[in-house]
Amino acid sequence: MSAEAADPGAPLRRRSRPRIDLRRLGRVALRGPVSRDRLPDAISHVAEAHRAHHPDADLTILRRAYVLAESSHRGQMRKSGEPYITHPLAVTLILAELGAETTTLTASLLHDTVEDTEVTLDQVKEQFGDEVCYLVDGVTKLEKVDYGAAAEPETFRKMLVATGNDVRVMSIKLADRLHNMRTLGVMRPEKQARIAKVTRDVLIPLAERLGVQALKTELEDLVFAILHPEEYEETRALIAAATGPDDPLETIADNVTHTLRDAGISAEVLIRPRHFVSVHRVRRKRGELRGTDFGRLLVLVGEDADCYAVLGELHTCFTPVISEFKDFIAAPKFNLYQSLHTAVVGPEGAVAEVLIRTHRMHKVAEAGVVALGNPYAQDPAAAPQSEPSDERADPTRPGWLSRLLDWQESATDPDTFWTTLRDDLAQDREITVFRTDGGTLGLPAGASCVDAAYAQYGDLAHTAIGARVNGRLATLSTVLSDGDTVQPLLAQDTASGPSPDWLDHARTPAARIAITGWFSDHPDEAKPDPETADATGPGTRGEPAAATEREAPARSRSGPRPTGVVVDDPNAQVRLAGCCTPVPPDELTGFVVRGGAVTVHRRECPAVAAMQEIGRAPVVARWADGEGRESDAGCRVTLVAESFGRPRLLADLTEAIATADAAIVSATVEPPSEQRVRHTYTLRLPDAAGLPGLIRAMRDVAGVYDVSRAQHPAPAG
């Protein structure tokens, strides 16, 4: 199977076998049983392709699988008029040319038998073993059922679940879709367009992420021809016109070959034509195409070190285009891809892109996880497991697939699952960040500390208040870079929840689904109420160094009622509003808010007028006996400051308190916990009106992310 143009008539240099005549295969398939010792003629091409990658493969199981598939599908026809057996044969050929191992090919031949014939899984297991049965069952579960408008989302959700246990299931599904796309011309145009769009939005990105470039490029061209027929024909005409004896890439390839031979480097230099979509993209990017834009040079060598030797010779003997250099050997892509990319200037200023890789890298670049064989085959030299396990740990499964499997269970709504899946697949680059405990997190490029928090802590990340990135304090909106060390920081108040602003910073499905789910369970939390609004503007969760007064009630909404305030309902939970921080002898008024709690404000607070404007009935609130009389020495208040630990923090806090004309009656500093420090101060102020300014001054101290009224009585002093 070719990794180049999908059109078999395209005038490009192709290295693959010619397309098999499916009608001829259908006639061969119907000739009846064959000798038990002879390979059926209908799968001789599959055997040839398989032996090219696995010379010692035992073909007996393939013969038996074909006999069962042909006999069970006999009499069934495809919409194109061919015997149905031609479909599993074509799918198996695709995988064989990619280098799939025998078990995968066997399952591919049988992948429709359980769904469309009388063959049962028990029969498959009895005749071909547990491994083949497992794969066939996984592919069978992907078959579309009647889910109405949610058919495609549910189909691909099941594909992810099945693939979570074995990536070979998805490989068979991708080959199945490729063959269906090749024969899509017999369907109505509107159905062709629908299938092509789903292929474009989900299957092609999945093929890319599994590293199966050979499937991806042909699927792209087939979709391009269906959805954009005019642009496809224009591109086809450009490629045809560019084909001729005076190919500038031929000249550069000859020069590269002689250069490497003179340097004593054994290498194979090939011209790799671009497929239709690739040419179209280059045309849109550059406008007028150059002669070297229709292909790239591919240099294949034996060892990794040879790749860098080739690179050195090219950059020494040709003028390199430095901006085009990328090293995917030292830093492989998320889909296992490894290669060196560069560009050099040839004769008459022609610029040629060059790919440098080993033969092994090239095989993986074309076939991705398919080229890695059976990921569950036990190493004979390895010690046997003491206890069998039903869980499969797939060493070929990339981190992105693990994340998809984690969040798909949380996306109970098909539309949410579908939208989130497409958004996640649109991320074409992955970064790795390090945890402080030595572990790693795989995240899409552009991920923030919000994503890291949910990736590490799951739903516990609802209480996140900030992070340390490379040892420095950072907000949750901070975008992470590849190689960063990140430590999400969580609040002790487990009842607190995320901010709506987090959705603006979340890039991973896990984070977005968790945040959206939390707001679905707490619908009133999604919109800020006037009682939590600060006159200076709304605050933002996750901004520890610049937290606003709005956050204090939000973080203490589930705490015990503060001492000294009495309301009509003695059982009601009472809290002091963070926007005005009332203290004796302030005149008070309260309002019932979410959860039945009563928030108490100073009567002159702007939030009081706002609450009355929207029809909220006030609740009578007053200070308890003795709390309304201010002594000659001023008012006393207990404040709790939460901060990140750092040198001179205590000194800076006490200086801020002194600057605000407050006297420290007593102070307590709790031992640090997870880089967080909690300070409790009992303070005496000359006047209660100075309390808001004192709180702001303490919050302005670097490292302090929250200052609030204590939720317990102030000690005597």
Side-chain angles (χ1 to χ4, degrees):
M1 186 196 62
S2 171
E4 316 302 342
D7 186 350
L12 299 179
R13 289 165 292 248
R14 305 173 63 86
R15 302 180 60 201
S16 63
R17 300 175 179 81
R19 186 66 54 79
I20 302 297
D21 185 344
L22 294 179
R23 292 187 180 275
R24 179 182 65 81
L25 285 181
R27 291 192 295 270
V28 172
L30 294 175
R31 289 176 184 171
V34 298
S35 168
R36 293 179 59 87
D37 299 327
R38 186 168 67 85
L39 195 69
D41 292 338
I43 60 169
S44 59
H45 53 288
V46 174
E48 179 186 355
H50 187 38
R51 280 282 172 83
H53 294 278
H54 304 276
D56 300 327
D58 182 3
L59 303 180
T60 304
I61 191 173
L62 287 181
R63 186 196 69 81
R64 292 194 290 111
Y66 167 75
V67 170
L68 177 60
E70 191 279 325
S71 60
S72 60
H73 286 297
R74 186 172 297 173
Q76 297 178 351
M77 307 295 288
R78 304 193 78 219
K79 290 184 178 180
S80 58
E82 299 142 354
Y84 194 86
I85 188 61
T86 59
H87 172 66
L89 276 172
V91 172
T92 305
L93 177 61
I94 291 171
L95 294 169
E97 291 183 330
L98 287 172
E101 39 79 47
T102 309
T103 303
T104 303
L105 300 185
T106 304
S108 176
L109 282 170
L110 300 170
H111 78 271
D112 278 335
T113 55
V114 174
E115 178 71 18
D116 298 333
T117 74
E118 299 299 322
V119 176
T120 66
L121 276 175
D122 289 338
Q123 289 176 295
V124 172
K125 183 175 182 179
E126 180 181 354
Q127 296 188 40
F128 301 97
D130 292 340
E131 203 75 16
V132 172
C133 177
Y134 191 92
L135 297 179
V136 172
D137 183 38
V139 178
T140 301
K141 289 177 180 177
L142 307 184
E143 298 304 320
K144 187 185 301 183
V145 294
D146 186 13
Y147 286 101
E152 288 294 351
E154 288 299 331
T155 297
F156 288 105
R157 183 199 291 268
K158 292 198 301 182
M159 180 171 64
L160 288 176
V161 174
T163 301
N165 293 324
D166 201 316
V167 292
R168 293 174 293 176
V169 173
M170 189 179 289
S171 301
I172 297 173
K173 181 62 179 180
L174 288 172
D176 175 79
R177 177 55 66 97
L178 175 57
H179 182 244
N180 286 334
M181 288 293 297
R182 286 176 177 175
T183 58
L184 207 57
V186 299
M187 296 185 177
R188 298 187 307 276
E190 59 272 18
K191 190 169 184 179
Q192 291 185 38
R194 182 183 66 81
I195 295 175
K197 287 177 181 178
V198 173
T199 303
R200 175 197 63 193
D201 293 341
V202 178
L203 265 294
I204 289 175
L206 284 175
E208 166 77 13
R209 294 202 165 205
L210 288 175
V212 194
Q213 293 296 318
L215 293 183
K216 178 219 173 190
T217 52
E218 187 172 351
L219 284 171
E220 281 185 327
D221 285 349
L222 291 167
V223 168
F224 185 38
I226 293 173
L227 298 183
H228 306 283
E230 294 181 1
E231 294 177 335
Y232 177 84
E233 289 301 326
E234 290 177 4
T235 305
R236 180 189 178 96
L238 286 172
I239 294 174
T243 303
D246 299 327
D247 188 346
L249 280 177
E250 292 279 5
T251 303
I252 299 176
D254 290 341
N255 291 341
V256 170
T257 300
H258 288 98
T259 298
L260 297 181
R261 183 183 301 124
D262 293 343
I265 301 174
S266 177
E268 183 180 3
V269 181
L270 306 171
I271 295 177
R272 182 178 178 83
R274 293 183 183 272
H275 62 105
F276 287 97
V277 171
S278 180
V279 172
H280 176 67
R281 288 170 180 160
V282 173
R283 183 188 179 196
R284 292 183 60 182
K285 178 181 178 181
R286 298 178 182 170
E288 185 177 353
L289 293 173
R290 304 170 300 193
T292 54
D293 287 335
F294 293 90
R296 292 179 289 188
L297 297 186
L298 174 62
V299 181
L300 299 177
V301 294
E303 303 292 339
D304 290 11
D306 295 335
C307 295
Y308 293 97
V310 169
L311 180 70
E313 290 297 324
L314 293 182
H315 284 193
T316 300
C317 301
F318 298 86
T319 301
V321 181
I322 301 301
S323 61
E324 297 293 328
F325 173 69
K326 298 181 181 66
D327 187 347
F328 294 116
I329 295 179
K333 287 188 176 182
F334 58 84
N335 58 3
L336 311 177
Y337 177 88
Q338 288 185 290
S339 185
L340 294 179
H341 290 203
T342 189
V344 297
V345 181
E348 301 180 0
V351 178
E353 295 183 34
V354 185
L355 310 177
I356 309 168
R357 59 181 69 141
T358 66
H359 291 278
R360 171 64 174 170
M361 292 176 189
H362 182 58
K363 182 178 179 181
V364 174
E366 291 293 288
V369 296
V370 179
L372 300 180
N374 182 355
Y376 309 106
Q378 293 187 355
D379 185 356
Q385 294 182 349
S386 58
E387 296 183 3
S389 174
D390 293 334
E391 295 295 326
R392 295 185 175 207
D394 188 345
T396 69
R397 190 172 80 191
W400 65 267
L401 183 54
S402 297
R403 294 196 303 273
L404 287 182
L405 293 165
D406 290 338
W407 62 254
Q408 67 85 22
E409 296 180 359
S410 303
T412 55
D413 176 54
D415 291 335
T416 300
F417 165 75
W418 187 245
T419 302
T420 311
L421 172 64
R422 293 172 60 179
D423 290 345
D424 186 75
L425 292 176
Q427 303 287 343
D428 60 355
R429 194 167 67 85
E430 186 174 80
I431 63 172
T432 299
V433 298
F434 296 91
R435 295 164 31 171
T436 53
D437 60 4
T440 61
L441 298 173
L443 300 170
S448 66
C449 292
V450 171
D451 300 299
Y454 280 97
Q456 182 169 350
Y457 293 113
D459 288 345
L460 290 177
H462 292 328
T463 64
I465 54 177
R468 284 185 179 272
V469 177
N470 301 324
R472 300 176 64 88
L473 294 177
T475 64
L476 288 171
S477 61
T478 301
V479 176
L480 299 169
S481 300
D482 196 34
D484 281 347
T485 298
V486 60
Q487 179 188 11
L489 301 168
L490 308 182
Q492 293 180 338
D493 180 9
T494 57
S496 62
S499 164
D501 298 332
W502 291 9
L503 288 172
D504 297 332
H505 312 304
R507 294 292 178 270
T508 59
R512 297 187 64 83
I513 289 176
I515 296 169
T516 304
W518 191 89
F519 284 116
S520 296
D521 296 336
H522 305 78
D524 292 337
E525 299 284 353
K527 297 180 180 179
D529 276 357
E531 74 266 20
T532 60
D534 188 358
T536 61
T540 302
R541 288 291 310 273
E543 305 291 340
T548 66
E549 292 178 359
R550 170 189 171 190
E551 294 180 83
R555 289 179 181 171
S556 61
R557 57 177 170 262
S558 61
R561 56 183 292 179
T563 301
V565 178
V566 178
V567 297
D568 290 343
D569 184 357
N571 297 320
Q573 184 184 47
V574 180
R575 67 187 186 192
L576 298 178
C579 53
C580 57
T581 57
V583 295
D586 296 334
E587 294 186 357
L588 307 177
T589 189
F591 295 92
V592 178
V593 295
R594 294 182 292 269
V598 176
T599 298
V600 177
H601 297 259
R602 297 167 64 185
R603 285 188 180 178
E604 60 268 29
C605 176
V608 172
M611 296 289 285
Q612 291 175 335
E613 287 178 2
I614 63 175
R616 293 283 185 91
V619 174
V620 176
R622 60 181 176 80
W623 298 107
D625 293 342
E627 291 290 338
R629 296 189 299 272
E630 187 174 9
S631 68
D632 295 339
C635 72
R636 188 171 60 203
V637 64
T638 299
L639 299 179
V640 176
E642 297 185 68
S643 65
F644 303 116
R646 67 170 178 83
R648 290 190 53 80
L649 175 62
L650 185 60
D652 291 345
L653 266 173
T654 54
E655 182 179 354
I657 292 171
T659 303
D661 294 330
I664 300 177
V665 177
S666 64
T668 303
V669 180
E670 298 178 10
S673 173
E674 296 186 358
Q675 303 291 334
R676 300 192 305 271
V677 182
R678 182 183 177 94
H679 308 250
T680 303
Y681 296 94
T682 298
L683 307 173
R684 193 178 302 278
L685 286 77
D687 187 86
L691 182 57
L694 170 62
I695 292 177
R696 281 193 292 269
M698 294 175 67
R699 282 180 175 158
D700 287 340
V701 174
V704 176
Y705 59 80
D706 192 25
V707 178
S708 60
R709 290 287 301 273
Q711 299 178 9
H712 52 76

